[in-house]
Amino acid sequence: MQIFDRRILRLRRTRIAKKPDTCNFLFFETARRLTERLEEIKRTFPVSLDLGCRFGEVAASNKSVNKLKLIIQSDLSPEMAQKAFKNGNLTMACDEEYLPFKFETFDAVTSNLSLHWVNDLPGTFSQICKILKKDGLFLASMFGAGTLIEL
């Protein structure tokens, strides 16, 4: 079942990529809170994947905790991924619904306010579990039921 049109979502993200200074406060705040959680973990993660990286907010927030060493940033929009490249991490365009990675590739997978647009969330979680190493970490923030009802 297709709830979200991924093509339209990619086009919207491409349009946002042209205006990087608009509407980012929420993404920076949630990325900060997400990487804050890493401070409580006593290990580092040599290779990590940031799904739906937008402008690289997670990578920017990681600089203060430095727990994620090599971050591969991915976004549905190639233009958005290109904007995230500015922080020096590897970037690529890929769809969260079809992850093109080998099993047990990453020590950590993060996603900041991106997975709520996925049509098959259990399927995406299953793929994330497969690309994580045995003791890997999955850390995500997403909108849930009742979020922003005031709007």
Side-chain angles (χ1 to χ4, degrees), residues 52-74:
C53 66
R54 288 185 47 92
F55 296 110
E57 293 89 356
V58 170
S61 295
N62 177 60
K63 290 180 181 175
S64 64
V65 296
N66 200 26
K67 294 282 188 161
L68 305 173
K69 299 305 179 185
L70 173 64
I71 302 173
I72 298 171
Q73 300 174 126
S74 69

Side-chain angles (χ1 to χ4, degrees), residues 28-81:
F28 277 111
E29 179 61 23
T30 53
R32 184 189 63 78
R33 291 181 185 196
L34 195 101
T35 54
E36 247 178 27
R37 305 299 188 274
L38 293 171
E39 290 179 350
E40 300 171 15
I41 300 171
K42 295 185 191 264
R43 61 177 277 214
T44 59
F45 301 92
V47 182
S48 64
L49 173 67
D50 182 17
L51 283 174
C53 66
R54 288 185 47 92
F55 296 110
E57 293 89 356
V58 170
S61 295
N62 177 60
K63 290 180 181 175
S64 64
V65 296
N66 200 26
K67 294 282 188 161
L68 305 173
K69 299 305 179 185
L70 173 64
I71 302 173
I72 298 171
Q73 300 174 126
S74 69
D75 198 272
L76 182 61
S77 164
E79 290 82 359
M80 189 71 81

Side-chain angles (χ1 to χ4, degrees), residues 13 16-32 53-58 61 80 83 86 112-113:
R13 291 177 80 83
I16 292 169
K18 296 173 185 172
K19 302 182 242 179
D21 297 331
T22 58
C23 306
N24 276 347
F25 70 93
L26 186 59
F27 293 95
F28 277 111
E29 179 61 23
T30 53
R32 184 189 63 78
C53 66
R54 288 185 47 92
F55 296 110
E57 293 89 356
V58 170
S61 295
M80 189 71 81
K83 294 287 183 175
K86 71 182 180 309
N112 183 33
L113 297 179

Side-chain angles (χ1 to χ4, degrees), residues 3-4 53 61 66 77 81 90 100 118 132-133 147:
I3 300 168
F4 304 108
C53 66
S61 295
N66 200 26
S77 164
L90 299 172
V118 171
L132 276 171
K133 292 181 179 174
T147 304

